[in-house]
Amino acid sequence: PRAAGAAERIERVSMLTVPSFVAEASVAVKTAGRQLRTDVAFGGGLYAIVDCEAAGVSVDAVRVPELRRAGMEIAAAVDAARAWAHPATGRAEEIAGTIFTAPPRSESADLRSVTVRRDGQVGRSPGGTATAALMAVLDAMGLLTDERPFAHEGIVDTRFSGRIARRTQVGE
């Protein structure tokens, strides 16, 4: 039995998300005088994925104003680069946000990131859709295995763990 007034704590949840995929690798955009390459991937939303060093920002909570500005600018530039559509439905898609990646702080994590939504909101946790989009890119690069989960660290050190449930084809 639980003590009176004690709060329950959820330690683990599991979900199966929509099929995730790389829409286009290495899209060239120019923002704030920088030429960047961004991978565009879908994990429930369409994201521009950028290395933080290439973008000139740090994946650190004290850098949120810089991340917000750069993330919104990159999302707009990737949207302007071309029209995006979901390959299975043909439905037009806007870039939902920018995911900045960095090396993890923890030895038990594979990657650290922060997501800046197109409206400027900054995600504290790694997020399910962002994790799925990142995993699609990493899998396309041959960097994920079926034997080990992907450990994804967020900007405030929260962590998501992901596994590929199965591989499928989306569209052509």
Side-chain angles (χ1 to χ4, degrees), residues 124-150:
R124 292 173 291 169
S125 76
T129 59
T131 299
L134 279 171
M135 288 179 66
V137 170
L138 295 171
D139 189 53
M141 296 169 71
L143 298 174
L144 292 185
T145 67
D146 293 340
E147 295 79 41
R148 187 169 93 57
F150 167 65

Side-chain angles (χ1 to χ4, degrees), residues 16 29 33 36 40 43 45 57 70 73 75 82 92 102 113 118-119 125 134 137 146 150 158 161 167 170:
L16 183 62
V29 295
L36 295 174
V40 178
V57 294
E73 192 174 326
R82 73 175 186 81
S113 80
R118 73 178 299 114
D119 65 2
S125 76
L134 279 171
V137 170
D146 293 340
F150 167 65
T158 51
S161 177
R167 288 179 176 81
V170 179

Side-chain angles (χ1 to χ4, degrees), residues 76-165:
V78 173
D79 261 343
R82 73 175 186 81
W84 301 96
H86 193 287
T89 65
R91 189 181 82 227
E93 295 278 344
E94 288 186 325
I95 300 297
T98 302
I99 302 170
F100 292 100
T101 62
R105 287 190 179 162
S106 168
E107 288 182 17
S108 61
D110 296 306
L111 190 69
R112 181 177 183 82
S113 80
V114 63
T115 302
V116 178
R117 302 205 61 78
R118 73 178 299 114
D119 65 2
Q121 291 182 44
V122 178
R124 292 173 291 169
S125 76
T129 59
T131 299
L134 279 171
M135 288 179 66
V137 170
L138 295 171
D139 189 53
M141 296 169 71
L143 298 174
L144 292 185
T145 67
D146 293 340
E147 295 79 41
R148 187 169 93 57
F150 167 65
H152 184 199
E153 182 180 81
I155 196 168
V156 294
D157 300 326
T158 51
R159 188 163 311 154
F160 277 35
S161 177
R163 283 189 182 273
I164 295 173

